[in-house]
Amino acid sequence: MDYNISFFLTALGLGVGLAMDAFSVSLANGLAEPSMKIRKMTCVAGVFGIFQGIMPLIGWVCVHTLVTYFTVFQKFIPYIALILLAFIGGKMIYEGIKGEDEVGLRKLTFSGLMIQGVATSIDALSVGFTISGYNVWGALLNAGIIAFMTFLICFAGIIIGKNLGTRLKGKASVLGGVILVLIGLEIFVSSFFSA
């Protein structure tokens, strides 16, 4: 395996491209919870990074072992992402309209974060096909770069969302929910054009 500049540029490009959905969700999380502490911000960005790094590895393993089963599953990815993000976003919109975020009920929970992590990274499974020619170390290095880039981008998204959230006050949860639903729709609709 040749770890040249092209390898690293490709990995960085994949990292940035895959992180965009997670960035938008991080922005929504910052909007919904403008008082989020640095420790939680690091944890949230870390979870997105881990999911974005693991999914291509799972895809890589599938290519090398279960390729026929994976191609059957791949057509359901946009539906799963849409359902998960629409559920979370719809709940945020509902709570924002009811004013529940005003009394602090709209904090990001561990289970909510796990659902967001899966929903935003599930499309990264298909990256396993693009890195299928890599050996184990190449796939691991690629996944590490993707995870690191996602972490940085999501951390920035939370900071931006927090700054906007303090200015938007009660509307932040509604706006964050709308962003999540739109991301789910974008993943779903774009799957028909990339197929």
Side-chain angles (χ1 to χ4, degrees):
M1 177 105 225
D2 188 21
Y3 301 108
N4 56 23
I5 199 90
S6 176
F7 172 87
F8 289 101
L9 288 176
T10 300
L12 288 171
L14 283 171
V16 171
L18 290 173
M20 287 302 104
D21 289 340
F23 168 79
S24 298
V25 174
S26 297
L27 187 69
N29 288 334
L31 281 167
E33 196 175 333
S35 62
M36 190 183 299
K37 303 287 185 221
I38 191 89
R39 184 175 179 193
K40 187 171 184 180
M41 291 167 56
T42 303
C43 179
V44 170
V47 166
F48 285 126
I50 289 168
F51 272 103
Q52 290 289 6
I54 287 175
M55 289 298 186
L57 286 178
I58 293 171
W60 182 87
V61 168
C62 289
V63 166
H64 290 276
T65 56
L66 309 169
V67 72
T68 56
Y69 300 112
F70 181 67
T71 55
V72 170
F73 171 74
Q74 191 174 14
K75 66 182 174 188
F76 296 109
I77 290 173
Y79 296 95
I80 294 167
L82 175 64
I83 289 167
L84 291 174
L85 290 173
F87 173 75
I88 297 167
K91 188 170 184 250
M92 284 176 70
I93 293 168
Y94 175 76
E95 291 171 354
I97 291 171
K98 280 186 67 176
E100 291 180 7
D101 60 325
E102 293 296 321
V103 290
L105 296 178
R106 191 51 229 141
K107 299 233 184 241
L108 180 63
T109 63
F110 178 77
S111 61
L113 178 58
M114 292 298 111
I115 291 170
Q116 288 178 357
V118 170
T120 58
S121 66
I122 198 163
D123 59 337
L125 278 169
S126 60
V127 171
F129 285 118
T130 65
I131 64 170
S132 63
Y134 293 176
N135 61 24
V136 174
W137 298 113
L140 286 170
L141 181 57
N142 192 284
I145 292 169
I146 290 170
F148 182 70
M149 290 302 297
T150 301
F151 173 82
L152 292 178
I153 290 169
C154 289
F155 197 85
I158 296 168
I159 292 171
I160 294 167
K162 281 179 53 163
N163 289 330
L164 290 174
T166 54
R167 293 186 187 114
L168 294 173
K169 304 255 186 212
K171 308 284 187 265
S173 184
V174 174
L175 181 59
V178 168
I179 289 171
L180 292 182
V181 172
L182 290 175
I183 293 167
L185 286 171
E186 183 271 329
I187 292 170
F188 182 73
V189 171
S190 67
S191 71
F192 291 107
F193 296 106
S194 63

